[in-house]
Amino acid sequence: MDMQKIGAFLSELRKEKNLTQNELGEQIGVTNKTVSRWENGNYLPPVEILQILSKFYDVSINELLNGERINDSDYKNVSEENVKCALNRSNAIIRKHKKIMNWIIAIVAALLYIVISVISQKWQYTWIVFVVYCVYRTVESIVNHLLNIHVKSK
């Protein structure tokens, strides 16, 4: 998806209706700064807003995501490409969130280890928490790897 092209198309559609960014924002429930960010290609409107804009401008969501009007003969190909782009974008976001969660889990495990050790005054027993965490992470990595191989082979 070309964010600049989408932004330019959104701007063009707004201008066709003779609206300012502020007026559009008021009609769809966002600020004029948000509209500006979309039109500059800095952000993509969320799905709910894409649906609202689609109805408001009387264009399809595929046309919005393509950044131009689509003729009937190209519609299927463009739709497929938009779905692929959306899925790739979603996968990238999921991978990012998984990495963040992995760091959070590691930090919580380390803090738990320290807290249990301080409270119990028995450092030799609390190593079990760390070992359990390491085993968990190893199993999780193996499962993720096997799932990725399974998905790619289909």
Side-chain angles (χ1 to χ4, degrees):
M1 278 184 255
D2 185 345
M3 300 279 282
Q4 300 299 319
K5 186 176 177 183
I6 294 169
F9 186 55
L10 289 171
S11 176
E12 177 186 319
L13 292 170
R14 177 181 54 79
K15 290 173 183 173
E16 284 176 9
K17 291 221 175 223
N18 296 316
L19 293 172
T20 65
Q21 290 178 342
N22 195 40
E23 291 168 337
L24 174 63
E26 287 175 4
Q27 290 190 18
I28 63 172
V30 298
T31 66
N32 62 328
K33 284 186 178 184
T34 300
V35 174
S36 175
R37 289 180 185 130
W38 297 337
E39 292 182 0
N40 289 328
N42 296 329
Y43 293 97
L44 188 64
V47 175
E48 312 82 50
I49 300 295
L50 284 173
Q51 291 172 330
I52 292 168
L53 290 171
S54 171
K55 289 177 185 172
F56 186 79
Y57 291 135
D58 195 31
V59 295
S60 70
I61 292 175
N62 275 321
E63 289 173 311
L64 290 175
L65 294 176
N66 194 48
E68 62 186 5
R69 297 189 193 280
I70 306 168
N71 62 38
D72 291 339
S73 62
D74 293 336
Y75 200 82
K76 182 179 178 183
N77 293 335
V78 171
S79 297
E80 287 290 323
E81 195 58 39
N82 284 338
V83 168
K84 286 178 189 176
C85 287
L87 290 174
N88 287 338
R89 188 179 174 118
S90 295
N91 284 335
I93 291 169
I94 288 169
R95 281 192 302 276
K96 179 182 175 184
H97 287 134
K98 271 187 171 183
K99 286 180 183 179
I100 292 169
M101 281 305 299
N102 289 340
W103 276 105
I104 291 171
I105 290 169
I107 291 167
V108 168
L111 290 174
L112 184 60
Y113 175 77
I114 292 168
V115 168
I116 290 171
S117 299
V118 168
I119 291 173
S120 69
Q121 296 291 317
K122 297 180 182 178
W123 292 92
Q124 67 271 20
Y125 296 118
T126 56
W127 63 269
I128 294 170
V129 172
F130 186 69
V131 170
V132 168
Y133 171 73
C134 290
V135 169
Y136 162 76
R137 298 293 298 149
T138 303
V139 170
E140 181 188 40
S141 296
I142 292 168
V143 168
N144 281 336
H145 179 71
L146 292 174
L147 287 174
N148 285 336
I149 289 172
H150 179 71
V151 170
K152 287 179 184 175
S153 66
K154 284 191 169 187

